[in-house]
Amino acid sequence: MAEDNKMNADVVIIGAGMAGAHLARSLREKGIDVLILEAGDKRPRGDFLKIFYESTTKGPQAPYPSIPSAPHPTDGGYADFYVQDKDTAEENKFIGAYLRIFGGTTWHWTGFADRLRPQDFRMKSLYGVAEDWPIDYDMLLPYYVTAEKRWGVAGDPNDVWGAPRYGVPYEMPPIPATYMDKQVTKALEKMGLHSGIFSHARNSEIFDKRPICCGNNTCVPICPIGAKYDASVDAQKAEDEGARVEVNALVTFMEVDKDGKISRVKVQKPDGSTFWVGGKVFALCAHAIENPRLLLNSKQENAPKGVANSSDAVGRYLLTQANQDTQGLTPDPVFPYRGPQQTSGLIERRDGDFRSKEAAIGTSFMNSGWSGNSDATSLAKDLIAKGVVGPALSEAINAQVSRHLRLNSSAEVLPDASNRVELADEKDTAGIPKPKITFRMDDYTKNGLKVGLDINLEVFKIMGATEVKHNEPYLSNAIIGGTTKMGNDPKTSVVNADLVSHDHKNLYIIGSSTHITMPVNAPSLTIAALAIRAADHMEKHLKP
């Protein structure tokens, strides 16, 4: 039995990732009492690096062990973590990767520092598909600027990726294009197409006492020196400024009082012990799978469908993106594995009237070879099996890996109420029902990827590449959104434009789970901006 309230705070934040970190820091800057409850643990970077170096998988989750008290997906273990129908087609298998640690999933993010485009908020009005957001670009503009100043964004003012900056410069000069980027650009120009340099939450100069990127090329899964921003930076600043942090604190239940407010939450520790935490305001910031899991797991007399779920929209409108890779062997070296894993990409096909019929695509030039972190080891095994050893082995590896080129195209997926997260009958190691996923990739997305594939194949043809091949479309590992939809209508959405639950006026839900669409510009900066904006709203909420 859980003991009475062990802790209390004016604002109780569940999750220490991108949303929770920026919310906590903003609230502490206003002098508001904050308690952060993080399901996972807190470790120094060196611990994660050691695990990564010793790992044989080298996947995005490799440095971050899943702990029984707060499990998350593992490389090669997505089928065990997510419950999906055994007949699910390969293209619809959900493999969303997220972490439960101090700093959250940004430990292994790419580092893209994009704002959404103004058009991305108005898909229905402009293109007749999806839905419009209840907020717009101009409303978020000042919060985008604040988030960028916290991160330290390196970017080229000539490459804003469709999001006007109105004269506000990037914090740092851009991460330069690689030699490989320049070779791909030459081929694109022969096609009348163009490339641009990505904006990065990655230091091109010393910023915030963090070092300059040294090009280790392991951004996913871990930056070894901290040149790439992750949310542990702002989570730590919030703690340094007086926020209380309780790690290894899995929230399993939210209690609703007779007035419809959240009165307290139940916390479970790794040893199985439990206690309650009370607060005036609660902010659920646990990403797009754990947010609906907790809400649905909190069914009770005052919330018979689960917390915040009178609309039956909790868990619905699950979003991700779909990917397709094209690879080949160039006749001359292009030298991948130099610099960050992605520094440049195709400008075209990210927005336009075509979005009324087919998905926008974002094509990146992958500096991580064919497989990302494991090209050399895979090739070495093949060569050794053929008897190639010693200096000859080294020469053979260098001769081939230096010519590995891969282009990756990511396409948006339209929101669909049938794509959803539910609670499975099977429980995880913490005793919580596993996430049950239903998802179907639509033709809109496939049509967009087909255009991207045709472009990529032509690039390889112009470059004279051999051994060209591509895989079939598959769901993204990196992008997860939807499941607690933002909207003006309480009958069809979970939170309002201020991210306050329609059902419970002291419950905020923050993060990509509230996003209406998942365009090809990355969601991370928008998550941070919305969290900073929510802090302003909370401050007004808490005033007498």
Side-chain angles (χ1 to χ4, degrees), residues 73-74 76-98 289 318-321 418-426 433-441 474-477 480:
T74 57
Y78 297 100
D80 294 327
F81 186 85
Y82 295 111
V83 175
Q84 292 184 266
D85 190 272
K86 63 181 180 179
D87 297 323
T88 299
E90 196 67 29
E91 67 180 20
N92 294 324
K93 288 184 178 178
F94 192 79
I95 54 170
Y98 65 95
I289 299 298
L318 174 63
L319 295 169
T320 183
Q321 291 176 2
S418 299
N419 292 340
R420 65 188 303 191
V421 180
E422 299 174 89
L423 298 183
D425 294 332
E426 184 181 352
K434 288 185 174 184
K436 178 183 176 183
I437 305 293
T438 302
F439 200 94
R440 184 186 66 82
M441 191 188 305
Y474 61 95
L475 297 183
S476 171
N477 192 240
I480 316 174

Side-chain angles (χ1 to χ4, degrees), residues 36-90:
I36 302 174
L37 301 173
E38 169 54 49
D41 55 12
K42 179 181 181 181
R43 297 193 192 187
R45 188 173 301 271
D47 284 6
F48 292 136
L49 276 173
K50 184 175 185 296
I51 296 168
F52 172 57
Y53 292 150
E54 294 174 354
S55 169
T56 58
T57 61
K58 307 300 183 189
Q61 306 286 85
Y64 316 101
S66 176
I67 57 177
S69 59
H72 58 238
T74 57
D75 296 319
Y78 297 100
D80 294 327
F81 186 85
Y82 295 111
V83 175
Q84 292 184 266
D85 190 272
K86 63 181 180 179
D87 297 323
T88 299
E90 196 67 29

Side-chain angles (χ1 to χ4, degrees), residues 264-450:
R264 57 182 186 169
V265 296
K266 188 177 181 180
V267 177
Q268 181 172 293
K269 298 293 283 183
D271 63 3
S273 63
T274 59
F275 59 88
W276 293 94
V277 172
K280 296 179 182 177
V281 173
F282 294 83
L284 181 52
C285 306
H287 208 352
I289 299 298
E290 295 303 330
N291 280 356
R293 279 183 84 190
L294 176 56
L295 297 171
L296 294 172
N297 198 48
S298 299
K299 289 182 181 180
Q300 57 201 278
E301 184 177 355
N302 293 330
K305 295 182 182 179
V307 167
N309 197 29
S310 64
S311 62
D312 191 37
V314 169
R316 294 186 181 275
Y317 302 99
L318 174 63
L319 295 169
T320 183
Q321 291 176 2
N323 288 350
Q324 191 164 31
D325 295 290
T326 310
Q327 68 180 50
L329 195 65
T330 58
D332 299 310
V334 290
F335 302 112
Y337 291 104
R338 295 183 174 191
Q341 286 162 321
Q342 300 173 44
T343 44
S344 301
L346 176 68
I347 290 177
E348 283 82 7
R349 304 302 302 183
R350 293 171 181 261
D351 184 52
D353 291 341
F354 65 85
R355 291 174 84 181
S356 63
K357 298 180 180 179
E358 58 200 28
I361 56 166
T363 296
S364 299
F365 316 153
M366 304 302 294
N367 290 329
S368 54
W370 287 353
S371 59
N373 301 320
S374 59
D375 275 14
T377 53
S378 298
L379 179 58
K381 291 176 183 177
D382 293 341
L383 292 171
I384 291 169
K386 296 176 182 177
V388 182
V389 296
L393 176 63
S394 178
E395 291 173 7
I397 291 173
N398 288 335
Q400 183 161 323
V401 170
S402 65
R403 296 185 291 135
H404 282 188
L405 175 63
R406 177 166 59 103
L407 303 179
N408 171 268
S409 294
S410 298
E412 60 189 341
V413 173
L414 295 178
D416 184 337
S418 299
N419 292 340
R420 65 188 303 191
V421 180
E422 299 174 89
L423 298 183
D425 294 332
E426 184 181 352
K427 293 186 177 181
D428 66 17
T429 52
I432 308 300
K434 288 185 174 184
K436 178 183 176 183
I437 305 293
T438 302
F439 200 94
R440 184 186 66 82
M441 191 188 305
D442 52 53
D443 290 337
Y444 177 88
T445 299
K446 295 176 187 177
N447 292 341
L449 286 174
K450 178 62 169 62

Side-chain angles (χ1 to χ4, degrees), residues 109-262:
W109 71 318
T110 305
F112 286 147
D114 303 324
R115 304 173 180 182
L116 296 190
R117 293 173 168 78
Q119 299 92 308
D120 291 334
F121 295 93
R122 302 179 60 220
M123 287 284 287
K124 187 69 173 179
S125 298
L126 293 176
Y127 308 125
V129 297
E131 296 181 42
D132 290 349
W133 293 48
I135 59 174
D136 59 23
Y137 183 84
D138 289 341
M139 185 184 295
L140 271 188
L141 191 58
Y143 304 104
Y144 275 143
V145 172
T146 300
E148 288 173 344
K149 289 183 180 298
R150 289 181 178 182
W151 289 9
V153 175
D156 187 331
N158 297 313
D159 294 321
V160 298
W161 301 98
R165 302 190 61 80
Y166 302 115
V168 177
Y170 287 108
E171 297 301 309
M172 290 175 279
I175 303 293
T178 65
Y179 177 81
M180 186 196 79
D181 293 344
K182 295 174 183 178
Q183 306 319 301
V184 175
T185 298
K186 290 177 183 178
L188 288 172
E189 289 173 345
K190 292 180 180 179
M191 301 165 60
L193 300 174
H194 309 84
S195 69
I197 296 176
F198 292 130
S199 52
H200 286 269
R202 176 180 287 103
N203 288 357
S204 61
E205 302 174 339
I206 294 176
F207 180 88
D208 199 22
K209 300 180 181 179
R210 293 184 287 114
I212 299 171
C213 172
C214 59
N216 274 277
N217 205 259
T218 61
C219 321
V220 179
I222 187 169
C223 176
I225 62 172
K228 182 187 72 175
Y229 171 89
D230 63 72
S232 69
V233 172
D234 279 298
Q236 187 59 55
K237 287 184 177 181
E239 186 173 14
D240 293 343
E241 292 164 6
R244 290 172 287 152
V245 177
E246 183 79 7
V247 296
N248 295 305
L250 175 66
V251 177
T252 61
F253 189 85
M254 310 185 86
E255 185 179 78
V256 181
D257 66 19
K258 59 182 177 58
D259 297 320
K261 291 185 176 181
I262 306 300

